[in-house]
Amino acid sequence: MAKDQLQVLNALDVAKTQWYHFTAIVIAGMGFFTDAYDLFCISLVTKLLGRVYFYDGSDKPGSLPPSIASAINGVAFCGTLTGQLFFGWLGDKLGRKRVYGMTLMLMVISSIASGLSFGRDPKGVMITLCFFRFWLGFGIGGDYPLSATIMSEYANKKTRGTFIAAVFAMQGFGILAGGTVAILVSYAFISMFPAPPFLVNPVLSTVPEADYVWRIILMVGSLPALLTYYWRMKMPETARYTALVAKNNKQAAADMSKVLQVEIQAEEEKTQEVNTKRGNDFGLFSVKFLRRHGLHLVGTCSTWFLLDIAYYSQNLFQKDIFSAIGWIPDAKVMNAVQEVFMIARAQTLIALCSTVPGYWFTVALIDKMGRFAIQLMGFFFMTVFMFALAIPYHHWTLNGNQIGFVVLYSFTFFFANFGPNATTFVVPAEIFPARLRSTCHGISAASGKAGAMLGAFGFLYAQNAIGVRNSLLVLGGCNFLGMLLTFLVPESKGKSLEEMSGEAEEETTATTTTTTTTTRESAVESVIEV
């Protein structure tokens, strides 16, 4: 098939790992660094928001009402879901590069605006915060399909999984950075504005300056995105979009000749033959797409949906779980900013010991083990460890057993990231046709965010209605179902994007058809001459 493939695409598939690969990883990866920071830093400050804005003079520290807490945690996911669908579709219509800068600037502006949220009363501040976090999520949503598609279309087929997984692994550093920034900011405010614990003085335990803490933490998320904007705009459009969707092979060859630093022929005649003959213009809602990729799309959507129910429930509400088992001190014995410090320290420790290593295990092994094996293994061990936490849950709440709980809890994060959290991002960027790749990745990612919304809105109510133990059992069941549905997802290790999408087969058919037609025409001409 390689001999029938356009030269520019074949050059990308067999290219040696070069500096431009690492540049693309950093440029795309910093978007995901920002995504993770912005999505997860809110969980570090929700307790503080409750203390600052919702203390009613009772003997308990102020806390966000359940509806407001769910809205603040979940509204960004609503924006993300919408952004994934919209920008995924737009990336296939206008091109990856043209849309890429829009998403980044939207993230920068909304991140700063979130920290500047205003209002006449506490509810007004929360409404403003939710408004800006929706648009922040909208920009983040666009980053998912575009970053994955750009990296998959730039990469060679031998190390493509590693490169896409490396982009996604920047999420781990974003989570780690969120915790680190929260630790530094809260420690600085504790030093500058000392305050008594809530038990000693409920009013003075929340100093007025505490209102700056959460604002600073949220606004810092704009910096990494802002720093990479210029380099995103310098990236050329991907050759696969230019050649296969825009049908401008001359431009694709010119762009990739500069990137790869080799001479690539434009092959205009072959491009016209392939585009004319192959009949590869079926749409997303066509019978042909359904027959070829329908089950694949069901597989990528359902596994991502089930994963994110568990993954985001764990991430957003781990502070509540840690408080329930007694790993974080009772809120009454801390002042408002101390509580931020303790929550950030706990979440940073989890990120450092399990989340970040899990991502990079996937980066190191995805092109050796394959996507299918890693995803199946990850779901299996997430199920095992979740049930190991839930079934003897009372045991883990007893004094002295908390460390065991935290260790097992950390393993669920490790195998989420050395497992489906990475592979559900990688695979949709590899198995669909070029002109639908960004759209299908956006649909798959949006399914994941639907699961995240269910986790964000549902877990808070579930732990109050059925308890933490039963909530963990439900999350274990989601992981088990995800393991079963993994069998719908094909293995893409070592194959070109055109092989996985079926485009290589159609190019071969087109070339064969053209050759046959030419031979027949020559034969007819010979007969006429005779």
Side-chain angles (χ1 to χ4, degrees):
M1 288 183 188
K3 63 183 176 60
D4 296 315
Q5 191 178 30
L6 294 173
Q7 187 182 344
V8 66
L9 304 186
N10 190 53
L12 284 167
D13 281 338
V14 300
K16 293 180 180 178
T17 300
Q18 299 178 37
W19 180 248
Y20 89 92
H21 286 119
F22 296 106
T23 304
I25 288 171
V26 172
I27 294 170
M30 286 309 291
F32 266 86
F33 178 97
T34 306
D35 296 349
Y37 182 101
D38 288 332
L39 284 177
F40 293 113
C41 69
I42 195 67
S43 67
L44 300 168
V45 299
T46 48
K47 295 273 191 183
L48 177 62
L49 290 171
R51 289 215 192 202
V52 171
Y53 291 103
F54 290 93
Y55 177 60
D56 58 5
S58 66
D59 60 348
K60 291 183 179 180
S63 61
L64 294 174
S67 58
I68 294 178
S70 292
I72 288 174
N73 281 306
V75 71
F77 296 137
C78 298
T80 304
L81 186 153
T82 311
Q84 286 164 337
L85 293 172
F86 176 73
F87 286 114
W89 169 79
L90 202 62
D92 283 332
K93 293 296 179 186
L94 301 182
R96 312 348 179 177
K97 179 190 172 180
R98 289 178 67 182
V99 182
Y100 213 23
M102 298 182 208
T103 63
L104 203 66
M105 286 313 299
L106 191 55
M107 288 158 58
V108 170
I109 294 167
S110 299
S111 184
I112 294 171
S114 295
L116 298 175
S117 297
F118 56 87
R120 292 184 177 180
D121 53 34
K123 192 169 284 188
V125 176
M126 297 301 107
I127 290 171
T128 310
L129 177 59
C130 287
F131 174 80
F132 288 124
R133 281 193 62 80
F134 174 86
W135 290 108
L136 174 65
F138 192 70
I140 289 171
D143 221 45
Y144 274 73
L146 292 169
S147 290
T149 301
I150 285 171
M151 198 65 246
S152 72
E153 293 181 345
Y154 264 117
N156 60 55
K157 65 182 179 181
K158 185 178 179 182
T159 56
R160 185 179 61 240
T162 299
F163 292 152
I164 304 173
V167 169
F168 193 64
M170 294 298 286
Q171 223 184 37
F173 290 127
I175 295 171
L176 190 62
T180 304
V181 168
I183 288 172
L184 295 175
V185 172
S186 59
Y187 183 78
F189 273 76
I190 289 169
S191 302
M192 291 187 293
F193 308 103
F198 183 87
L199 275 176
V200 175
N201 192 314
V203 175
L204 295 181
S205 68
T206 304
V207 294
E209 292 80 7
D211 191 48
Y212 294 111
V213 173
W214 68 271
R215 296 178 184 274
I216 293 170
I217 292 170
L218 295 189
M219 286 194 287
V220 167
S222 64
L223 294 178
L226 195 59
L227 292 173
T228 55
Y229 179 78
Y230 171 77
W231 298 107
R232 280 201 180 190
M233 294 299 93
K234 292 270 288 181
M235 291 177 76
E237 181 58 85
T238 70
R240 284 184 160 90
Y241 181 86
T242 306
L244 297 177
V245 183
K247 297 179 172 51
N248 187 347
N249 195 39
K250 185 177 181 181
Q251 185 63 51
D255 289 341
M256 290 305 103
S257 293
K258 292 178 184 176
V259 168
L260 298 173
Q261 297 181 336
V262 295
E263 186 64 32
I264 299 175
Q265 297 299 320
E267 302 179 292
E268 285 297 319
E269 288 184 15
K270 188 171 181 180
T271 305
Q272 290 175 6
E273 290 172 6
V274 170
N275 288 333
T276 303
K277 300 289 184 179
R278 67 182 175 180
N280 191 28
D281 293 328
F282 57 86
L284 179 64
F285 301 105
S286 66
V287 174
K288 196 170 183 180
F289 177 86
L290 187 63
R291 188 167 58 248
R292 286 194 174 196
H293 301 293
L295 282 179
H296 297 163
L297 189 58
V298 170
T300 58
C301 289
S302 59
T303 51
W304 207 335
F305 173 79
L306 291 163
L307 164 77
D308 276 8
I309 292 175
Y311 186 73
Y312 280 89
S313 295
Q314 290 172 247
N315 257 305
L316 289 173
F317 298 106
Q318 59 181 285
K319 62 187 182 301
D320 301 308
I321 294 172
F322 290 153
S323 297
I325 65 166
W327 199 43
I328 293 176
D330 188 88
K332 291 182 179 181
V333 302
M334 298 180 285
N335 65 46
V337 183
Q338 275 180 324
E339 189 172 26
V340 175
F341 180 85
M342 295 301 293
I343 292 168
R345 191 178 69 173
Q347 293 194 195
T348 302
L349 185 62
I350 292 289
L352 190 62
C353 296
S354 62
T355 305
V356 173
Y359 281 114
W360 291 96
F361 265 74
T362 300
V363 172
L365 297 173
I366 191 169
D367 282 315
K368 295 180 175 66
M369 292 177 61
R371 289 71 161 147
F372 177 81
I374 289 177
Q375 184 162 312
L376 198 68
M377 176 197 68
F379 269 128
F380 172 77
F381 282 111
M382 286 174 71
T383 305
V384 169
F385 287 115
M386 198 65 77
F387 285 145
L389 292 172
I391 294 170
Y393 179 73
H394 177 69
H395 167 78
W396 300 118
T397 61
L398 299 177
N399 194 33
N401 296 334
Q402 289 89 345
I403 296 301
F405 182 97
V406 171
V407 170
L408 291 182
Y409 194 70
S410 298
F411 272 120
T412 65
F413 280 106
F414 176 81
F415 282 106
N417 295 310
F418 182 32
N421 193 40
T423 55
T424 53
F425 176 81
V426 172
V427 174
E430 300 181 304
I431 64 176
F432 298 108
R435 75 188 174 286
L436 298 172
R437 186 169 292 132
S438 180
T439 302
C440 290
H441 194 285
I443 293 170
S444 302
S447 299
K449 284 302 164 285
M453 287 163 58
L454 186 59
F457 289 117
F459 189 80
L460 185 65
Y461 291 103
Q463 67 173 337
N464 291 331
I466 62 175
V468 173
R469 178 181 182 273
N470 290 327
S471 298
L472 293 174
L473 284 172
V474 170
L475 298 184
C478 290
N479 294 329
F480 179 73
L481 190 55
M483 182 177 68
L484 298 180
L485 289 168
T486 295
F487 287 92
L488 295 177
V489 181
E491 178 58 73
S492 50
K493 182 182 75 169
K495 298 178 182 177
S496 74
L497 297 179
E498 287 67 44
E499 284 179 82
M500 289 306 302
S501 65
E503 289 168 302
E505 176 188 335
E506 286 161 349
E507 286 178 17
T508 304
T509 303
T511 305
T512 304
T513 303
T514 305
T515 304
T516 304
T517 303
T518 305
T519 304
R520 286 175 180 171
E521 289 173 351
S522 300
V524 170
E525 289 173 2
S526 299
V527 169
I528 291 171
E529 287 175 5
V530 172

